[in-house]
Amino acid sequence: HLVHDAPVRGDAPVEVWAIDHLLSAEECEQLIASARQSDWLTQTAELPGLPPRIRCANSNTCTPMTHQGADGFAVIDDDRLALRVYCRIHGELPTRLDGAELSGIKPMFRCMHYRPGTQDTIQHDPTRAGERGEISKLSLLIFLNDTFEGGEIDFMDGQTIIEPAVGRGVVFRHALPYRNAPVQRGTKHLIRTEVFYNDHWRPFLDE
């Protein structure tokens, strides 16, 4: 069951959606376990064995990007997870943005963890372009746990702060500035990916 009344301090602007129960507690635990078995990285990069990945909107190769504030991240490349999340969330997303049709979710997730003492900078996510003309327009974050203190998603407008909850998704426009509030105690785990739109291609069609 997806809801829009997840705790948000203040009136959330239309550019932000908080969606509860996007992943179950069991699914979140499995993803954390999978990430712990992977190599923890400090930058995005082309990794051996992964399918061809994303280009920046200007068609140039993306430069490696450090995840500020995170102690590290693990890559979870999972087409089935992307399809499962898409099937649960597609009815909650805009079907069209900037003249393009909703087309899918990038299957390369980044699982990040944050511990006390790490500091996150204010950031906004870049638009990315895929091999088949798809353009990312929305960011998707999913909390994998909530057994920590702090770690809210703060959209820096003085009112929109999303509280952590297991399986809660947060969807927002790339251009919105945000930061991960410092973790006071425990370890915060979340996954991040992008929602794609395309003028001509739709990978997941209703039966």
Side-chain angles (χ1 to χ4, degrees), residues 18-187:
I19 304 174
D20 274 349
H21 312 302
L22 188 51
L23 292 176
S24 69
E26 181 179 4
E27 288 171 322
C28 291
E29 290 174 1
Q30 291 172 350
L31 286 170
I32 292 173
S34 176
R36 284 173 174 163
Q37 296 173 6
S38 303
D39 293 329
W40 288 92
L41 310 173
T42 57
Q43 293 182 327
T44 56
E46 294 295 326
L47 301 176
L50 291 184
R53 283 303 162 195
I54 306 303
R55 293 193 304 270
C56 291
N58 61 7
S59 296
N60 294 327
T61 301
C62 286
T63 57
M65 181 180 67
T66 300
H67 286 282
Q68 299 290 338
D71 290 325
F73 73 97
V75 172
I76 300 176
D77 195 68
D78 191 334
D79 292 335
R80 288 179 295 180
L81 174 62
L83 180 58
R84 190 161 69 244
V85 171
Y86 179 81
C87 288
R88 294 173 184 175
I89 201 176
H90 80 280
E92 310 294 320
L93 298 173
T95 56
R96 290 183 64 84
L97 275 179
D98 305 323
E101 296 281 345
L102 176 64
S103 61
I105 291 174
K106 186 172 73 171
M108 189 178 73
F109 296 81
R110 292 174 292 288
C111 179
M112 291 170 279
H113 63 181
Y114 299 79
R115 295 190 178 98
T118 58
Q119 294 294 322
D120 201 5
T121 58
I122 299 173
Q123 59 188 305
H124 62 83
D125 297 330
T127 298
R128 302 185 186 278
E131 299 292 337
R132 290 172 285 189
E134 65 271 27
I135 301 292
S136 70
K137 295 183 179 293
L138 300 173
S139 299
L140 170 60
L141 308 180
I142 306 176
F143 292 103
L144 299 184
N145 71 325
D146 56 11
T147 55
F148 55 90
E149 294 181 6
E152 303 89 352
I153 306 296
D154 185 352
F155 284 94
M156 311 308 299
D157 60 358
Q159 61 179 3
T160 311
I161 301 177
I162 310 294
E163 304 283 353
V166 174
R168 173 172 294 158
V170 185
V171 184
F172 54 93
R173 284 274 201 166
H174 285 332
L176 282 182
Y178 72 99
R179 70 188 288 262
N180 288 275
V183 173
Q184 305 300 327
R185 186 174 67 178
T187 301

